[in-house]
Amino acid sequence: MENTLHPKKVKIIKTEQMSSNFKLFRLKPVGWEFPVGNSGLIFTPGQFVLAGLWGYGEAPFGPASSPYERSFIDIGVRRTGNVTSALHRLNDGGDMTIRGPYGNGYPLNFLVGKDLVFVTGGCGIPPIASLIEYVIARRERFGTVYLLYGAVTSKDLLFEERYEHWRKSIKVLLTVDKPTPDWKGHVGLVSELTREIDIKPRNTAVAMCGPGPMTKALENILRPLGIADRRIFVSEERKMSCGIGKCQHCTTGDKYVCTDGPVFYYDQVQGNWD
Ligand SMILES: Cc1cc2nc3c(=O)[nH]c(=O)nc-3n(C[C@H](O)[C@H](O)[C@H](O)COP(=O)(O)OP(=O)(O)OC[C@H]3O[C@@H](n4cnc5c(N)ncnc54)[C@H](O)[C@@H]3O)c2cc1C
Ligand code: FES
């Protein structure tokens, strides 16, 4: 996608209500094409787009689809307020706008040759889902790869229909806070899943996207494991307006999440978890 301030029209070609408050939208450009970068990607996993609806405004979302997919992008929207509630009222065939992609994304070249641990909780999974699709498409370039994912109940685990496909290439470890009678898996915090991983810590990179308490809890686990802060990448969420470093709506400490991030080294944003 062209990095322009002008929102472009997209058509919703598929929607999926993934949980009570999370809806997936598959978006196809109308009258334009996603520009393809030198690497063959239309965005870098971890970058964000601003998706909007005339009369309501825009909000940032990390695409969840494969960055190699050129005909559509998927965004997953948790209903929290004004814009996201308006987006939730849209269905197949509806129109919205997007602009971007913006921000830096996860450092794809740095991940090559390493064991990878992706850690996410609740609705933080979309950019990690995209990163997983990227890694699977280039699977031979990476060592052992884990997804550690936690949610409140099994009904809140998102992108469930992709797990079978993911499990053919990476190790998927799931946990819930509150088990239902049908849940046979792990119960507890996502940070506890680190006990089950078998990696080479000095050649491991971690990518995270999730709530502040999850990110903070991992501090006392990843460092003692021997994973250096500069091999841990955290995606930060802040309120945004312009998306291009002009309005100061998105600061974390002295950094702009929209242009310096949203992906930061762990020690760059430590203590500023939202
Ligand atoms: C880089 C980035 C990527 C994101 N990716 C996704 C995604 O893939 N899927 C998804 O569902 N959400 C994502 N978000 C969060 C999403 O942008 C917000 O939930 C959305 O902006 C809320 O807009 P609203 O108008 O509905 O809510 P508002 O009416 O603006 O606010 C409703 C409530 O949400 C809080 N809030 C609003 N925006 C944010 C924010 N950015 N961070 C923390 N709290 C906020 C407000 O303080 C308020 O309590 C992302 C945010 C960022 C910065
Ligand atoms: S959103 Fe405007 S400066 Fe970051």
Side-chain angles (χ1 to χ4, degrees):
M1 266 171 288
E2 209 174 28
N3 204 346
T4 165
L5 267 178
H6 297 291
K8 293 187 167 176
K9 190 171 164 184
V10 284
K11 173 101 29 217
I12 302 167
I13 55 168
K14 183 180 154 191
T15 56
E16 186 184 342
Q17 191 71 45
M18 289 193 158
S19 76
S20 57
N21 69 347
F22 189 93
K23 191 165 177 176
L24 189 84
F25 295 89
R26 179 157 291 176
L27 306 172
K28 192 177 168 56
V30 177
W32 58 284
E33 291 183 350
F34 296 120
V36 180
N38 290 339
S39 50
L41 310 181
I42 64 165
F43 61 86
T44 300
Q47 284 192 299
F48 64 93
V49 294
L50 283 159
L53 189 59
W54 298 114
Y56 290 91
E58 298 175 310
F61 302 98
S65 41
S66 166
Y68 287 109
E69 175 58 59
R70 296 175 183 190
S71 60
F72 64 79
I73 63 164
D74 288 338
I75 59 165
V77 178
R78 178 169 66 109
R79 192 176 54 235
T80 56
N82 187 32
V83 174
T84 51
S85 297
L87 293 178
H88 266 241
R89 290 193 285 275
L90 296 175
N91 285 307
D92 297 23
D95 295 325
M96 59 168 100
T97 62
I98 58 171
R99 60 184 173 100
Y102 296 123
N104 54 3
Y106 293 103
L108 302 182
N109 289 338
F110 182 82
L111 304 185
V112 172
K114 298 193 173 59
D115 288 344
L116 304 177
V117 183
F118 302 148
V119 191
T120 183
C123 299
I125 192 169
I128 297 292
S130 177
L131 187 56
I132 292 171
E133 301 295 347
Y134 171 81
V135 163
I136 290 177
R138 314 294 299 269
R139 187 64 190 88
E140 71 290 348
R141 296 175 137 213
F142 307 97
T144 308
V145 182
Y146 285 91
L147 167 66
L148 315 184
Y149 179 35
V152 179
T153 73
S154 57
K155 286 194 171 56
D156 303 303
L157 288 166
L158 306 169
F159 296 97
E160 220 175 344
E161 74 292 344
R162 296 195 194 178
Y163 300 166
E164 198 183 324
H165 159 60
W166 290 351
R167 281 197 162 109
K168 290 178 187 153
S169 303
I170 70 167
K171 296 175 194 297
V172 177
L173 305 183
L174 306 172
T175 185
V176 299
D177 297 341
K178 297 179 189 163
T180 42
D182 59 319
W183 178 251
K184 304 278 182 284
H186 190 277
V187 178
L189 299 175
V190 71
S191 49
E192 294 165 12
L193 293 175
T194 50
R195 292 188 201 125
E196 297 179 26
I197 63 177
D198 181 15
I199 41 127
K200 295 181 269 323
R202 288 181 200 291
N203 191 39
T204 293
V206 176
M208 280 194 246
C209 186
M214 178 199 89
T215 318
K216 184 165 172 37
L218 282 155
E219 190 176 329
N220 298 326
I221 296 172
L222 298 177
R223 284 180 179 146
L225 262 184
I227 304 175
D229 285 0
R230 296 271 152 159
R231 278 184 279 119
I232 304 174
F233 303 93
V234 184
S235 178
E236 284 275 272
E237 279 197 11
R238 286 291 182 279
K239 290 206 94 167
M240 284 193 186
S241 183
C242 70
I244 54 157
K246 300 288 180 204
C247 72
Q248 281 205 3
H249 273 77
C250 66
T251 49
T252 175
D254 62 353
K255 304 217 162 25
Y256 286 3
V257 170
C258 68
T259 47
D260 298 322
V263 177
F264 293 92
Y265 291 120
Y266 203 64
D267 60 336
Q268 271 184 307
V269 286
Q270 193 177 0
N272 290 332
W273 319 129
D274 53 359

